[in-house]
Every structure is written in C-alpha cells, then in structure tokens.
Amino acid sequence: MTTRIDRDELAARIAADIPEGSYVNLGIGAPTLVANFLPSDQEIILHTENGLLGMGEAPAREAVDPDLINAGKQPVTALPGAAYFHHADSFAMMRGGHLDVCVLGAFQVSARGDLANWSTGAPGAIPAVGGAMDLAIGAKQVFVMTDLLTKQGESKLVAACTYPLTGVACVTRVYTDHAVFDVTERGFRVRELFGDNTREGLEALTGLTLEES
C-alpha cells in the first residue's frame, strides 16, 4: 500500500521550492492552495491573470471582499503595495516571460514535458483553457500539481499525451501525492519520494521507466 500526502501537504512542498523574489502565478483549483504556505518572511509576489499583482492568501470568512477575487473567482487578499491592472496587461506579463514560476494542474504530462490540462477531448467535455496556454509557454518554470493517478487508477504521467495539448515541452517539475518528478531530456526523474513509495513501485503504477535522482 503506497503512502499519499494530502493536498495541503503537497501545496506546502511546492511553496518550499519557490525562490524568494519570484513572480508567481497559481493556476485555478488545487494550485491556489500554495498561497497559504508561502513563507511570511520572504517576498514572493503572486500574480493572477484577472489583473492583480501582490495577491495574498485566502481571507477568513468574515473578511471576504466580494470584489477581490482570483481568476477562479475565489476570494483572495491583497498585500500592501498590491497593484490592479487591465486584463490585457496581465496577459502581456504572462506572454512576455515576466513570470518566474507558474503552478498548474494537469490531466496528463508526457515524458518530454508536454502538458494537457484543459480538456480530455471526451464528447461533451467543457473546454476550459483560460490562460493556461499563455502561462505554460510564458513562465520561466512550470510546476504541475496533480494526483499521480486518475480516479480510474490510470497514470497522469505518460509516455505521450493522448489529450489535447496545452503546451509542448514546457513542464519543469511535477508534484504528485506520491512523489516529485523532474522532467529531463531522458524522461521523468524521481526527485523525492513520499512515505513508503519506491522508484520500482512508481514504475509499476505509471508503466514508465523512471530515472533515479
């Protein structure tokens, strides 16, 4: 039986890898949890594509400002010195290579770092690409936060993506509930194992040959 860490633990693990002084975008869904674990003694500036630079963690329920939300329409806080701007300016930051890190979810990540995270391509699936394509190509580093397996037990790490692509060869590192993987020229390399997971066990789960760290 493998050991899995929960979403908060995984968000904290990602937060620990973001260097001080970074400009960071957190994608819709689980990646937004990373904001709650960034070190309070470091300056890490969060960007949200709907036009805010200097986003803080989620507010307490009694402190929610209905006019202050992130791209996923979740209530957020604004840190001292935060700036608001037009949507077009926000996308110019994303496309212009001004973000150091973005954290995105995924349906699939391929061994060469291709990302599929906006549609499964299934009939009736609702496409929801948002700004993911711009972030995947524009950010200097792309971190993926995801479960290793789908609810059906299929690996989200694959030799080649079968879902529509968000970006090609863009993923730097994949953080899963089982382990952390770097994307290298030779495929996935195990960076860190959680709990009682082993490289051999992960190879059995994913069907991939994994490099040792």
Side-chain angles (χ1 to χ4, degrees):
M1 186 71 176
T2 58
T3 299
R4 300 168 55 192
I5 64 173
D6 64 29
R7 289 277 176 87
D8 283 341
E9 291 173 311
L10 189 56
R13 176 63 189 80
I14 296 170
D17 275 356
I18 297 177
E20 184 171 13
S22 296
Y23 288 84
V24 180
N25 182 287
L26 303 177
I28 292 172
T32 61
L33 295 172
V34 174
N36 298 331
F37 298 96
L38 295 173
S40 59
D41 61 343
Q42 294 185 16
E43 184 178 44
I44 295 172
I45 301 170
L46 295 182
H47 165 277
T48 178
E49 67 194 60
N50 57 320
L52 171 62
L53 198 61
M55 182 179 73
E57 62 185 26
R61 181 173 297 179
E62 63 275 11
V64 168
D65 179 347
D67 292 323
L68 189 55
I69 59 173
N70 63 17
K73 299 180 175 62
Q74 297 171 309
V76 296
T77 54
L79 300 179
Y84 303 93
F85 36 84
H86 193 278
H87 206 166
D89 295 320
S90 181
F91 270 73
M93 294 177 191
M94 294 155 55
R95 295 169 179 170
H98 302 290
L99 296 178
D100 297 297
V101 177
C102 73
V103 185
L104 299 172
F107 293 131
Q108 292 178 328
V109 180
S110 80
R112 70 168 186 168
D114 299 338
L115 173 65
N117 79 342
W118 68 279
S119 174
T120 62
I126 300 173
V129 67
M133 290 182 177
D134 305 271
L135 289 166
I137 300 303
K140 296 172 185 174
Q141 293 190 84
V142 176
F143 293 170
V144 165
M145 178 181 182
T146 186
D147 292 336
L148 178 64
L149 305 176
T150 67
K151 292 179 180 179
Q152 292 73 37
E154 298 174 349
S155 175
K156 292 188 178 185
L157 301 187
V158 295
C161 294
T162 56
Y163 296 154
L165 292 184
T166 306
V168 175
C170 58
V171 176
T172 308
R173 188 173 297 160
V174 184
Y175 294 81
T176 78
D177 51 350
H178 289 67
V180 181
F181 304 87
D182 286 328
V183 179
T184 75
E185 293 181 354
R186 299 179 60 182
F188 293 110
R189 180 173 61 216
V190 178
R191 182 180 184 88
E192 181 179 349
L193 296 165
F194 298 140
D196 60 358
N197 285 291
T198 63
R199 181 175 60 85
E200 293 77 14
L202 293 174
E203 287 183 332
L205 286 175
T206 61
L208 300 172
T209 299
L210 304 172
E211 291 188 47
E212 292 188 74
S213 58

PDB file of all heavy atoms in Angstrom, residues 7 30 47 52 59 79 82 109 132 134 136 140-141 158 162 164 179 189 212:
ATOM      1  N   ARG A   7      -3.494  17.306  -0.119  1.00  0.00           N
ATOM      2  CA  ARG A   7      -3.333  18.493  -0.957  1.00  0.00           C
ATOM      3  C   ARG A   7      -2.582  19.609  -0.216  1.00  0.00           C
ATOM      4  O   ARG A   7      -1.751  20.299  -0.801  1.00  0.00           O
ATOM      5  CB  ARG A   7      -4.710  19.001  -1.405  1.00  0.00           C
ATOM      6  CG  ARG A   7      -5.392  18.107  -2.436  1.00  0.00           C
ATOM      7  CD  ARG A   7      -4.889  18.420  -3.835  1.00  0.00           C
ATOM      8  NE  ARG A   7      -5.450  17.526  -4.822  1.00  0.00           N
ATOM      9  CZ  ARG A   7      -6.608  17.714  -5.441  1.00  0.00           C
ATOM     10  NH1 ARG A   7      -7.367  18.754  -5.148  1.00  0.00           N
ATOM     11  NH2 ARG A   7      -7.021  16.861  -6.369  1.00  0.00           N
ATOM     12  N   ALA A  30      -6.472  23.312  -7.231  1.00  0.00           N
ATOM     13  CA  ALA A  30      -5.539  22.969  -6.159  1.00  0.00           C
ATOM     14  C   ALA A  30      -4.314  23.884  -6.079  1.00  0.00           C
ATOM     15  O   ALA A  30      -3.858  24.200  -4.974  1.00  0.00           O
ATOM     16  CB  ALA A  30      -5.101  21.513  -6.301  1.00  0.00           C
ATOM     17  N   HIS A  47       0.794  36.681  -8.869  1.00  0.00           N
ATOM     18  CA  HIS A  47       0.092  37.307  -9.994  1.00  0.00           C
ATOM     19  C   HIS A  47      -1.151  36.493 -10.299  1.00  0.00           C
ATOM     20  O   HIS A  47      -1.134  35.261 -10.267  1.00  0.00           O
ATOM     21  CB  HIS A  47       1.030  37.318 -11.208  1.00  0.00           C
ATOM     22  CG  HIS A  47       0.366  37.594 -12.520  1.00  0.00           C
ATOM     23  ND1 HIS A  47      -0.265  36.613 -13.259  1.00  0.00           N
ATOM     24  CD2 HIS A  47       0.248  38.739 -13.247  1.00  0.00           C
ATOM     25  CE1 HIS A  47      -0.741  37.130 -14.374  1.00  0.00           C
ATOM     26  NE2 HIS A  47      -0.437  38.417 -14.394  1.00  0.00           N
ATOM     27  N   LEU A  52      -4.241  41.286 -10.951  1.00  0.00           N
ATOM     28  CA  LEU A  52      -3.744  41.648  -9.622  1.00  0.00           C
ATOM     29  C   LEU A  52      -2.321  41.135  -9.458  1.00  0.00           C
ATOM     30  O   LEU A  52      -2.027  39.978  -9.767  1.00  0.00           O
ATOM     31  CB  LEU A  52      -4.645  41.057  -8.531  1.00  0.00           C
ATOM     32  CG  LEU A  52      -4.157  41.152  -7.074  1.00  0.00           C
ATOM     33  CD1 LEU A  52      -4.015  42.611  -6.646  1.00  0.00           C
ATOM     34  CD2 LEU A  52      -5.133  40.419  -6.142  1.00  0.00           C
ATOM     35  N   PRO A  59      -8.756  34.772   2.444  1.00  0.00           N
ATOM     36  CA  PRO A  59      -9.180  35.513   3.631  1.00  0.00           C
ATOM     37  C   PRO A  59     -10.029  34.656   4.571  1.00  0.00           C
ATOM     38  O   PRO A  59     -10.608  33.642   4.156  1.00  0.00           O
ATOM     39  CB  PRO A  59     -10.035  36.638   3.037  1.00  0.00           C
ATOM     40  CG  PRO A  59     -10.630  36.026   1.815  1.00  0.00           C
ATOM     41  CD  PRO A  59      -9.565  35.104   1.260  1.00  0.00           C
ATOM     42  N   LEU A  79      -1.952  42.136  -0.661  1.00  0.00           N
ATOM     43  CA  LEU A  79      -0.898  42.542   0.263  1.00  0.00           C
ATOM     44  C   LEU A  79      -0.604  44.032   0.107  1.00  0.00           C
ATOM     45  O   LEU A  79      -0.912  44.632  -0.940  1.00  0.00           O
ATOM     46  CB  LEU A  79       0.361  41.728  -0.007  1.00  0.00           C
ATOM     47  CG  LEU A  79       0.227  40.206   0.149  1.00  0.00           C
ATOM     48  CD1 LEU A  79       1.551  39.533  -0.185  1.00  0.00           C
ATOM     49  CD2 LEU A  79      -0.225  39.834   1.557  1.00  0.00           C
ATOM     50  N   ALA A  82       0.022  46.060  -3.358  1.00  0.00           N
ATOM     51  CA  ALA A  82      -0.568  45.328  -4.478  1.00  0.00           C
ATOM     52  C   ALA A  82      -1.033  46.290  -5.568  1.00  0.00           C
ATOM     53  O   ALA A  82      -1.379  47.442  -5.293  1.00  0.00           O
ATOM     54  CB  ALA A  82      -1.746  44.486  -3.998  1.00  0.00           C
ATOM     55  N   VAL A 109       0.831  14.654 -18.198  1.00  0.00           N
ATOM     56  CA  VAL A 109       2.131  15.242 -18.504  1.00  0.00           C
ATOM     57  C   VAL A 109       2.959  14.155 -19.172  1.00  0.00           C
ATOM     58  O   VAL A 109       3.053  13.032 -18.668  1.00  0.00           O
ATOM     59  CB  VAL A 109       2.867  15.739 -17.243  1.00  0.00           C
ATOM     60  CG1 VAL A 109       4.227  16.335 -17.618  1.00  0.00           C
ATOM     61  CG2 VAL A 109       2.025  16.763 -16.486  1.00  0.00           C
ATOM     62  N   ALA A 132      -4.100  29.138 -19.459  1.00  0.00           N
ATOM     63  CA  ALA A 132      -3.106  28.091 -19.241  1.00  0.00           C
ATOM     64  C   ALA A 132      -2.076  28.003 -20.362  1.00  0.00           C
ATOM     65  O   ALA A 132      -0.887  27.768 -20.114  1.00  0.00           O
ATOM     66  CB  ALA A 132      -3.791  26.742 -19.047  1.00  0.00           C
ATOM     67  N   ASP A 134      -0.974  30.418 -22.257  1.00  0.00           N
ATOM     68  CA  ASP A 134      -0.055  31.546 -22.122  1.00  0.00           C
ATOM     69  C   ASP A 134       0.925  31.324 -20.968  1.00  0.00           C
ATOM     70  O   ASP A 134       2.115  31.625 -21.076  1.00  0.00           O
ATOM     71  CB  ASP A 134      -0.856  32.830 -21.885  1.00  0.00           C
ATOM     72  CG  ASP A 134      -1.895  33.052 -22.969  1.00  0.00           C
ATOM     73  OD1 ASP A 134      -1.567  33.682 -23.983  1.00  0.00           O
ATOM     74  OD2 ASP A 134      -3.030  32.578 -22.803  1.00  0.00           O
ATOM     75  N   ALA A 136       1.815  28.362 -19.631  1.00  0.00           N
ATOM     76  CA  ALA A 136       2.684  27.210 -19.882  1.00  0.00           C
ATOM     77  C   ALA A 136       3.885  27.582 -20.745  1.00  0.00           C
ATOM     78  O   ALA A 136       4.990  27.067 -20.550  1.00  0.00           O
ATOM     79  CB  ALA A 136       1.885  26.093 -20.543  1.00  0.00           C
ATOM     80  N   LYS A 140       8.927  31.083 -16.806  1.00  0.00           N
ATOM     81  CA  LYS A 140      10.278  30.532 -16.894  1.00  0.00           C
ATOM     82  C   LYS A 140      10.355  29.104 -16.381  1.00  0.00           C
ATOM     83  O   LYS A 140      11.145  28.299 -16.865  1.00  0.00           O
ATOM     84  CB  LYS A 140      11.244  31.434 -16.122  1.00  0.00           C
ATOM     85  CG  LYS A 140      11.368  32.832 -16.722  1.00  0.00           C
ATOM     86  CD  LYS A 140      12.183  33.751 -15.837  1.00  0.00           C
ATOM     87  CE  LYS A 140      12.175  35.175 -16.396  1.00  0.00           C
ATOM     88  NZ  LYS A 140      12.851  36.145 -15.495  1.00  0.00           N
ATOM     89  N   GLN A 141       9.541  28.783 -15.358  1.00  0.00           N
ATOM     90  CA  GLN A 141       9.439  27.418 -14.854  1.00  0.00           C
ATOM     91  C   GLN A 141       7.964  27.068 -14.696  1.00  0.00           C
ATOM     92  O   GLN A 141       7.184  27.880 -14.197  1.00  0.00           O
ATOM     93  CB  GLN A 141      10.125  27.260 -13.499  1.00  0.00           C
ATOM     94  CG  GLN A 141      11.620  27.421 -13.524  1.00  0.00           C
ATOM     95  CD  GLN A 141      12.232  26.996 -12.191  1.00  0.00           C
ATOM     96  OE1 GLN A 141      12.487  25.814 -11.943  1.00  0.00           O
ATOM     97  NE2 GLN A 141      12.452  27.960 -11.321  1.00  0.00           N
ATOM     98  N   VAL A 158       2.675  10.087 -18.505  1.00  0.00           N
ATOM     99  CA  VAL A 158       2.538   9.202 -19.664  1.00  0.00           C
ATOM    100  C   VAL A 158       3.729   9.362 -20.596  1.00  0.00           C
ATOM    101  O   VAL A 158       4.460  10.362 -20.541  1.00  0.00           O
ATOM    102  CB  VAL A 158       1.230   9.510 -20.438  1.00  0.00           C
ATOM    103  CG1 VAL A 158       0.017   9.186 -19.580  1.00  0.00           C
ATOM    104  CG2 VAL A 158       1.182  10.976 -20.878  1.00  0.00           C
ATOM    105  N   THR A 162      -2.354  11.860 -24.714  1.00  0.00           N
ATOM    106  CA  THR A 162      -3.429  11.493 -25.637  1.00  0.00           C
ATOM    107  C   THR A 162      -4.552  12.529 -25.614  1.00  0.00           C
ATOM    108  O   THR A 162      -5.477  12.442 -26.413  1.00  0.00           O
ATOM    109  CB  THR A 162      -4.015  10.114 -25.277  1.00  0.00           C
ATOM    110  OG1 THR A 162      -4.461  10.129 -23.909  1.00  0.00           O
ATOM    111  CG2 THR A 162      -2.963   9.027 -25.436  1.00  0.00           C
ATOM    112  N   PRO A 164      -5.809  16.727 -25.750  1.00  0.00           N
ATOM    113  CA  PRO A 164      -5.358  17.944 -26.436  1.00  0.00           C
ATOM    114  C   PRO A 164      -4.306  18.692 -25.603  1.00  0.00           C
ATOM    115  O   PRO A 164      -4.468  18.860 -24.388  1.00  0.00           O
ATOM    116  CB  PRO A 164      -6.647  18.770 -26.567  1.00  0.00           C
ATOM    117  CG  PRO A 164      -7.749  17.766 -26.534  1.00  0.00           C
ATOM    118  CD  PRO A 164      -7.289  16.693 -25.596  1.00  0.00           C
ATOM    119  N   ALA A 179       5.016  11.393  -5.171  1.00  0.00           N
ATOM    120  CA  ALA A 179       6.423  11.746  -5.340  1.00  0.00           C
ATOM    121  C   ALA A 179       6.536  13.020  -6.165  1.00  0.00           C
ATOM    122  O   ALA A 179       5.562  13.477  -6.771  1.00  0.00           O
ATOM    123  CB  ALA A 179       7.181  10.612  -6.039  1.00  0.00           C
ATOM    124  N   ARG A 189      12.520  12.003 -13.902  1.00  0.00           N
ATOM    125  CA  ARG A 189      13.487  11.601 -12.876  1.00  0.00           C
ATOM    126  C   ARG A 189      12.851  11.800 -11.507  1.00  0.00           C
ATOM    127  O   ARG A 189      12.285  12.855 -11.225  1.00  0.00           O
ATOM    128  CB  ARG A 189      14.764  12.435 -12.975  1.00  0.00           C
ATOM    129  CG  ARG A 189      15.814  12.066 -11.922  1.00  0.00           C
ATOM    130  CD  ARG A 189      17.116  12.795 -12.163  1.00  0.00           C
ATOM    131  NE  ARG A 189      16.930  14.237 -12.081  1.00  0.00           N
ATOM    132  CZ  ARG A 189      17.578  15.119 -12.852  1.00  0.00           C
ATOM    133  NH1 ARG A 189      18.421  14.699 -13.780  1.00  0.00           N
ATOM    134  NH2 ARG A 189      17.378  16.405 -12.705  1.00  0.00           N
ATOM    135  N   GLU A 212      16.631   7.613 -11.510  1.00  0.00           N
ATOM    136  CA  GLU A 212      16.880   7.879 -10.105  1.00  0.00           C
ATOM    137  C   GLU A 212      17.451   9.276  -9.942  1.00  0.00           C
ATOM    138  O   GLU A 212      18.118   9.812 -10.830  1.00  0.00           O
ATOM    139  CB  GLU A 212      17.855   6.861  -9.518  1.00  0.00           C
ATOM    140  CG  GLU A 212      17.292   5.454  -9.435  1.00  0.00           C
ATOM    141  CD  GLU A 212      18.228   4.533  -8.673  1.00  0.00           C
ATOM    142  OE1 GLU A 212      18.295   4.646  -7.433  1.00  0.00           O
ATOM    143  OE2 GLU A 212      18.892   3.711  -9.338  1.00  0.00           O
TER     144      GLU A 212
END
